Amino acid sequence: MKFLSIWTPDPKTANTPPSPEFMEEMGKLVENAMKSGEVLLTGGLLPASEGGARVRSTNGKITVIDGPFTESKELIAGFAILQAKSKEDAIESAKRFVKLAGDGESEIRQIMD
Amino acid sequence: MTATSTHAAIDAVWRIESAKLIAGLTRIVGDVGLAEDLAQDALVAALERWPESGVPDNPGAWLMATAKHRAIDQLRRRTMLERKHEELGYELEAQQEMAVPDLDAAIDDHVGDDLLRLMFMSCHPVLSTEAQVALTLRLLGGLTTDEIARAFLVPEPTVAQRIVRAKRTLSEAHVPFEVPRREELDERLSSVLNVIYLIFNEGYTATAGDDWLRPALCDDALRLGRILAELAPAQAEVHGLVALMELQASRARARVGPSGEPILLLDQNRARWDPLLIRRGLAALQRAEQLGGALGPYALQAAIAACHARARTNEETNWVRIVALYDALRQLVPSPVVELNRAVAVAMAFGPAAGLALVDQLTSEPALKTYHLLPSVRGDFLKKLGRLEEARSEFERAAAMTRNERERALLLERAAACAP
């Protein structure tokens, strides 16, 4: 089964720039997870002010809002596509990620086959 | 967390950690059966304690620590026994005096090596292929005997017995817990690769109505292959096998139609191929190629699969290269099925007449007597050459040979389309 994991850091701590040690550890975690196939694809997102936009349809009328989005406090900062044998296995992977990534939330959703 | 969700979490931890656990313990106690018992004891302890205390922060370390304590107890008991034997005048081998304080270091430093040793042990040639497969899934894949039985459509007691016997055989044959020496490495490695690919294919041939555990074997095999690639990165064929499995798995969704009929590669909807797995497959193939030397059978098959994966359409496919790869493959592993596949590639590269000439040489091949793809391929070439009457009879012959209803209907449709 495949899962999409969406990472939303806690806005209170999200703006502190990461230390080089953190970057190295996170790099190692991601590299190992990619090699083992636990993670099929992953990426971090730039702030919404850089290349972010929302394309919305309301009653068939399409509007485009450029970032940054003032109304939202919590912003998605990264995503991963996980391959796991069960939801619990995906949760294990996510736990290992958040333990390192710090405060925030990783939402896991199963991808339809 | 509810008790059920804790149990599910423990299952997940077990699947992820059990192989490392058993490998590390085998290093200490020297016997894979005993190591598995110790690991199971630790699992039982977790099942007792975690529903109340919660799953610990580092569950793998918890399991290892618990199992280690038991292993040390076992060793102490054994050492005491040996001492008693000594007092009674039995011979004592000095080397058996294992120093307990070194155990921690011994386990922590060699996780990777231990896993590799465990793989070689589970796939040891003293065991039958069936036993190798069962033991590998059990010890390295973290599957229960029940899961293995369901995946392979055999009764559970059969699998359980296979595993018990396999462990006994290993112990009686004094199979050492080690990576084989250079002179026997190639042969031993190919037996490991064979086991992994067998597991993969068992999953790949599963159909829609099957227990989900069957198709899940593909993922188990991929996981084992990826672990092996990590442990033995200098072995080109390991990367070749991983590449082949990733590329084949990338087509899993496209190869079965809505009513369960198999769809041949050239008729598949390429939009349904999984681009992520293709990317992984191509990367693994590149690693195999970069290691240099002639490509082995797995890497060659992966290279053929890669030609398809890289092309957006049949026409864009580099058929001339595929023919060359089949030429190399049939040198290494001659087989009528390889010849038939090569004939298809030749027809795509150089026209149906060239393909037909090759297929005509295969019609007397005993191994292909009941293989419906032979008349089906031959019918296809004949049709392209405008020899419709012959084409029709070939499609009809193929229809009579296939066991899949849906495929038979398709072949009969093709036969009817050849009618004047």
Side-chain angles (χ1 to χ4, degrees):
Chain A
M1 319 174 187
K2 292 203 187 84
F3 294 83
L4 173 67
S5 133
I6 305 156
W7 168 238
T8 312
D10 185 331
K12 287 195 235 50
T13 47
N15 290 326
T16 17
S19 68
E21 295 80 34
F22 168 82
M23 292 302 280
E24 197 189 316
E25 275 194 61
M26 186 53 90
K28 227 186 276 168
L29 180 82
V30 170
E31 191 193 329
N32 287 337
M34 287 288 282
K35 277 191 191 159
S36 70
E38 234 172 281
V39 171
L40 294 177
L41 179 73
T42 180
L45 304 183
L46 290 170
S49 55
E50 296 171 47
R54 283 178 179 169
V55 182
R56 182 179 295 160
S57 169
T58 316
N59 298 322
K61 190 173 169 292
I62 290 178
T63 47
V64 177
I65 307 155
D66 272 318
F69 315 119
T70 45
E71 77 273 29
S72 44
K73 289 204 185 70
E74 293 175 349
L75 285 171
I76 299 168
F79 68 94
I81 292 181
L82 312 174
Q83 186 157 48
K85 204 155 177 179
S86 67
K87 185 175 119 188
E88 287 71 27
D89 290 29
I91 291 174
E92 262 314 302
S93 303
K95 274 193 198 162
R96 283 161 204 223
F97 170 79
V98 292
K99 201 183 279 175
L100 190 57
D103 284 357
E105 186 177 273
S106 168
E107 179 175 331
I108 290 175
R109 305 283 300 274
Q110 191 177 347
I111 298 175
M112 265 192 271
D113 240 344
Chain B
M1 237 188 209
T2 64
T4 4
S5 69
T6 307
H7 276 189
I10 294 173
D11 280 351
V13 169
W14 179 254
R15 268 197 294 275
I16 297 167
E17 303 290 348
S18 64
K20 284 179 235 163
L21 204 58
I22 294 168
L25 292 166
T26 308
R27 157 183 283 275
I28 309 176
V29 297
D31 179 273
V32 73
L34 179 56
E36 205 203 350
D37 290 345
L38 289 165
Q40 288 284 347
D41 286 350
L43 176 67
V44 170
L47 284 165
E48 281 166 7
R49 268 190 248 159
W50 293 0
E52 274 173 43
S53 65
V55 178
D57 254 13
N58 191 339
W62 191 99
L63 286 171
M64 189 49 118
T66 306
K68 240 194 279 185
H69 284 303
R70 285 167 201 237
I72 291 168
D73 281 351
Q74 287 268 358
L75 277 179
R76 286 216 181 99
R77 230 173 289 152
R78 206 198 287 173
T79 323
M80 270 170 54
L81 231 111
E82 270 158 18
R83 256 185 226 139
K84 277 190 192 138
H85 286 179
E86 190 187 19
E87 284 161 17
L88 289 167
Y90 284 95
E91 60 188 85
L92 176 79
E93 288 169 44
Q95 74 217 31
Q96 292 249 318
E97 275 175 38
M98 252 186 123
V100 174
D102 287 333
L103 287 181
D104 280 6
I107 296 164
D108 298 337
D109 289 351
H110 301 278
V111 176
D113 293 346
D114 287 346
L115 272 179
L116 191 57
R117 291 188 180 103
L118 190 60
M119 276 198 188
F120 278 112
M121 199 175 203
S122 304
C123 301
H124 196 278
V126 293
L127 303 174
S128 71
T129 310
E130 283 165 333
Q132 293 171 345
V133 166
L135 203 58
T136 301
L137 282 172
R138 167 88 185 180
L139 299 183
L140 290 140
L143 270 68
T144 63
T145 33
D146 174 53
E147 286 171 333
I148 299 169
R150 276 162 58 195
F152 282 87
L153 312 170
V154 287
E156 210 230 318
T158 311
V159 173
Q161 209 172 32
R162 235 174 241 171
I163 291 174
V164 169
R165 271 203 216 118
K167 286 190 287 200
R168 198 189 305 143
T169 307
L170 287 175
S171 160
E172 283 168 5
H174 299 291
V175 169
F177 186 60
E178 65 183 20
V179 173
R181 280 182 304 269
R182 188 176 295 272
E183 58 269 26
E184 46 165 14
L185 183 65
D186 283 353
E187 204 188 320
R188 294 285 304 278
L189 185 67
S190 86
S191 133
V192 176
L193 297 177
N194 181 45
V195 166
I196 295 177
Y197 196 44
L198 267 174
I199 294 170
F200 181 85
N201 273 320
E202 193 68 27
Y204 206 59
T205 52
T207 51
D210 284 339
D211 193 323
W212 69 271
L213 276 162
R214 277 178 61 67
L217 286 174
C218 285
D219 288 345
D220 290 318
L222 264 167
R223 201 172 128 226
L224 291 170
R226 288 162 180 160
I227 295 172
L228 186 59
E230 188 89 336
L231 300 176
Q235 300 295 326
E237 269 295 79
V238 176
H239 298 295
L241 174 63
V242 171
L244 178 61
M245 293 192 297
E246 303 262 18
L247 290 170
Q248 283 186 328
S250 79
R251 304 198 291 249
R253 270 185 307 182
R255 58 192 274 280
V256 184
S259 39
E261 76 280 13
I263 302 177
L264 293 180
L265 196 141
L266 296 185
D267 301 323
Q268 289 172 8
N269 175 0
R270 290 173 190 234
R272 290 180 64 79
W273 290 0
D274 186 330
L276 291 178
L277 292 184
I278 289 180
R279 213 166 70 172
R280 293 182 66 90
L282 295 177
L285 178 60
Q286 199 182 13
R287 281 194 288 278
E289 287 168 345
Q290 277 168 352
L291 284 168
L295 294 184
Y298 291 115
L300 280 172
Q301 291 174 78
I304 292 168
C307 289
H308 295 298
R310 286 196 190 99
R312 275 172 304 175
T313 61
N314 291 345
E315 293 70 36
E316 256 182 47
T317 311
N318 188 345
W319 289 104
V320 176
R321 179 167 161 76
I322 293 183
V323 172
L325 291 165
Y326 271 121
D327 284 342
L329 184 61
R330 70 172 174 166
Q331 301 287 325
L332 293 181
V333 275
S335 114
V337 175
V338 170
E339 293 297 331
L340 182 61
N341 287 332
R342 180 174 172 274
V344 173
V346 166
M348 294 300 285
F350 308 110
L356 185 65
L358 293 172
V359 167
D360 284 345
Q361 293 167 22
L362 294 173
T363 47
S364 57
E365 190 61 58
L368 298 179
K369 269 249 149 24
T370 56
Y371 195 53
H372 70 278
L373 287 180
L374 178 62
S376 160
V377 163
R378 194 160 181 273
D380 190 51
F381 294 164
L382 288 165
K383 186 175 171 235
K384 283 182 181 145
L385 291 166
R387 292 158 64 175
L388 295 182
E389 194 48 47
E390 290 163 88
R392 188 175 65 161
S393 92
E394 283 299 80
F395 285 134
E396 281 168 354
R397 223 156 61 82
M401 283 156 95
T402 178
R403 270 178 288 175
N404 184 296
E405 283 306 319
R406 187 75 196 109
E407 203 175 11
R408 173 170 324 169
L410 285 176
L411 284 163
L412 289 175
E413 267 173 45
R414 298 195 72 185
C418 293

